[in-house]
Amino acid sequence: MFGDSYEKAFNSLKNTVDQLAKKGQAREAKLEANLQDLTREAQSLKDSIGLKTQQLVDAEIEDDTKTQEQINKELAALRLQLGDFESKIAAYKSSLEFPGLSGDEVKKVKSAALKAFQERQKKAVDLDIKISKAFEQLQALNEEIGKMNEEKLTLDHPKEALIAKPVMKFVHPEFRDPKYETFQGEYQYRFVNWLNS
């Protein structure tokens, strides 16, 4: 339907989009999988912090300072680790919100889309010109058909019978009948019969 250059530009755009869409989807899937892992690990750390905090409360009630010191150290390490995980989770969420294609890849898509756009518009202009020319040809043919129809209508009216009428009364006695002065159809019928006899 479309010209070669448009098909090539369209296929190039489609291939570029397919390739980069796969890359973008793979990146997004990896980010989401890692985010789920990090979220699970962060929840596990929160659970551990909750458990250790309860143990700290128990140690404080029992006035067990040695256990308190040990649990406080463990809690500090767990909170530090949780902070790292929460920081990573925020980074992953942020990465999911921003485009995953590089500047060069974006330029590649834009260039392919622009080429397809320009080729499509060029093809549309070419088709407009062809349509206009075809319409002109159609109009010319319609005019010619109209002229031929007019000529055929003229040919369908029997001129020879009318032209020959003044002399026909001298050719055959049948045509002397005065009724042929008024009944054109019957005269025409008799004239054609006479021609074919």
Side-chain angles (χ1 to χ4, degrees), residues 181-194:
E181 295 299 322
T182 55
F183 297 108
Q184 295 295 325
E186 190 174 337
Y187 167 76
Q188 174 63 31
Y189 173 73
R190 295 281 180 204
F191 183 82
V192 170
N193 283 342
W194 174 75

Side-chain angles (χ1 to χ4, degrees), residues 4 15 20 29 37-38 43 78 82 88 91 93 112 120 138 176 186 191 195-196:
D4 265 354
N15 291 337
L20 294 177
D37 290 344
L38 287 169
Q43 187 57 50
L78 286 172
L82 178 61
K88 279 185 182 178
K93 284 181 178 177
R120 180 181 55 79
L138 186 61
R176 286 182 182 274
E186 190 174 337
F191 183 82
L195 282 179
N196 292 327

Side-chain angles (χ1 to χ4, degrees), residues 29-79:
K30 180 91 173 176
L31 284 170
E32 286 172 358
N34 286 356
L35 182 58
Q36 286 177 359
D37 290 344
L38 287 169
T39 303
R40 273 195 299 275
E41 290 180 40
Q43 187 57 50
S44 176
L45 281 172
K46 287 176 185 176
D47 294 344
S48 294
I49 289 171
L51 183 64
K52 287 289 177 191
T53 303
Q54 185 59 50
Q55 289 173 355
L56 179 62
V57 169
D58 292 342
E60 286 175 353
I61 291 172
E62 294 176 10
D63 289 329
D64 185 351
T65 53
K66 186 176 179 185
T67 303
Q68 288 176 35
E69 286 175 13
Q70 177 63 29
I71 291 173
N72 277 328
K73 284 181 187 176
E74 290 174 10
L75 277 172
L78 286 172
R79 286 187 181 118

Side-chain angles (χ1 to χ4, degrees), residues 32-149:
E32 286 172 358
N34 286 356
L35 182 58
Q36 286 177 359
D37 290 344
L38 287 169
T39 303
R40 273 195 299 275
E41 290 180 40
Q43 187 57 50
S44 176
L45 281 172
K46 287 176 185 176
D47 294 344
S48 294
I49 289 171
L51 183 64
K52 287 289 177 191
T53 303
Q54 185 59 50
Q55 289 173 355
L56 179 62
V57 169
D58 292 342
E60 286 175 353
I61 291 172
E62 294 176 10
D63 289 329
D64 185 351
T65 53
K66 186 176 179 185
T67 303
Q68 288 176 35
E69 286 175 13
Q70 177 63 29
I71 291 173
N72 277 328
K73 284 181 187 176
E74 290 174 10
L75 277 172
L78 286 172
R79 286 187 181 118
L80 186 63
Q81 200 174 358
L82 178 61
D84 286 345
F85 275 98
E86 287 175 340
S87 183
K88 279 185 182 178
I89 287 170
Y92 271 87
K93 284 181 178 177
S94 177
S95 292
L96 279 169
E97 291 174 9
F98 289 98
L101 297 179
S102 70
D104 286 342
E105 290 168 331
V106 170
K107 284 179 187 174
K108 190 175 179 182
V109 170
K110 186 175 182 179
S111 173
L114 183 61
K115 180 71 174 165
F117 173 80
Q118 290 169 339
E119 288 297 328
R120 180 181 55 79
Q121 286 196 321
K122 180 181 172 207
K123 185 64 182 173
V125 168
D126 290 347
L127 284 175
D128 277 341
I129 291 168
K130 286 180 181 176
I131 289 168
S132 180
K133 285 181 180 176
F135 186 71
E136 287 172 9
Q137 289 173 346
L138 186 61
Q139 280 183 316
L141 283 173
N142 282 335
E143 286 175 19
E144 189 176 339
I145 289 169
K147 287 176 184 174
M148 287 191 288
N149 279 332

Side-chain angles (χ1 to χ4, degrees), residues 154-171:
T154 303
L155 293 173
D156 285 344
H157 292 339
K159 286 185 178 179
E160 59 280 351
L162 294 174
I163 293 170
K165 191 173 186 180
V167 79
M168 287 311 292
K169 64 181 172 182
F170 303 118
V171 172

